[in-house]
C-alpha cells in the first residue's frame, strides 16, 4: 500500500473530505497516514503502524472466517492459485 502511493492517495482524499467520513478516515492505512500528515508521528512510524494494524486485522479475519465451513482457503503464493480457485468453483 505504502509503495503504491498510499500517502498521495490520502492527501487527495483528504482534500475531497476524507476527514468528514466516519469510517473512511479510520480505514487501515488511512488513519496512520492522517496521523503522519498531522505530525503525530513520523512517516516511518505511520508505515510500521500500518503494517502492524494490517497483520492484526488479518489474524482477526482468519479467526472469524475459520468457523465458516463454506470457505475454502487457497494460498495466493501458489503458482497455480488461479487454477486451484477455478477447480473449487467447478466443484461447487
Amino acid at each position: 500500500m505504502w509503495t503504491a502511493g498510499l500517502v498521495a492517495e490520502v492527501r487527495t482524499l483528504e482534500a475531497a473530505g476524507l476527514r468528514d467520513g466516519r469510517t473512511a478516515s479510520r480505514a487501515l492505512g488511512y488513519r496512520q497516514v492522517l496521523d503522519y500528515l498531522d505530525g503525530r508521528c513520523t512517516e516511518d512510524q505511520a508505515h510500521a503502524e500500518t503494517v502492524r494494524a494490517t497483520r492484526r486485522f488479518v489474524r482477526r479475519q482468519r479467526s472469524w472466517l475459520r468457523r465458516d465451513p463454506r470457505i475454502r482457503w487457497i494460498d495466493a503464493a501458489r503458482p497455480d492459485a488461479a487454477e486451484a480457485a477455478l477447480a473449487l468453483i467447478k466443484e461447487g
Side-chain angles (χ1 to χ4, degrees):
M1 291 169 25
W2 215 267
T3 57
L6 180 63
V7 175
E9 176 182 332
V10 172
R11 280 189 176 119
T12 301
L13 292 172
E14 181 184 25
L18 174 67
R19 292 180 189 267
D20 299 332
R22 294 190 64 191
T23 57
S25 63
R26 297 179 189 162
L28 282 174
Y30 286 23
R31 187 186 74 197
Q32 290 80 7
V33 172
L34 289 171
D35 286 346
Y36 159 61
L37 295 177
D38 290 343
R40 287 193 284 268
C41 63
T42 67
E43 184 173 2
D44 287 342
Q45 289 169 327
H47 179 264
E49 176 57 24
T50 300
V51 170
R52 188 182 70 74
T54 301
R55 286 184 177 150
R56 187 173 57 231
F57 185 71
V58 167
R59 283 193 307 270
R60 279 197 316 256
Q61 276 190 321
R62 285 182 179 155
S63 167
W64 298 330
L65 299 174
R66 188 178 308 129
R67 299 179 203 129
D68 190 334
R70 298 170 298 169
I71 295 175
R72 303 286 300 272
W73 296 97
I74 299 171
D75 182 354
R78 285 176 56 171
D80 67 336
E83 291 83 3
L86 290 172
L88 286 174
I89 291 169
K90 287 178 183 175
E91 285 178 17

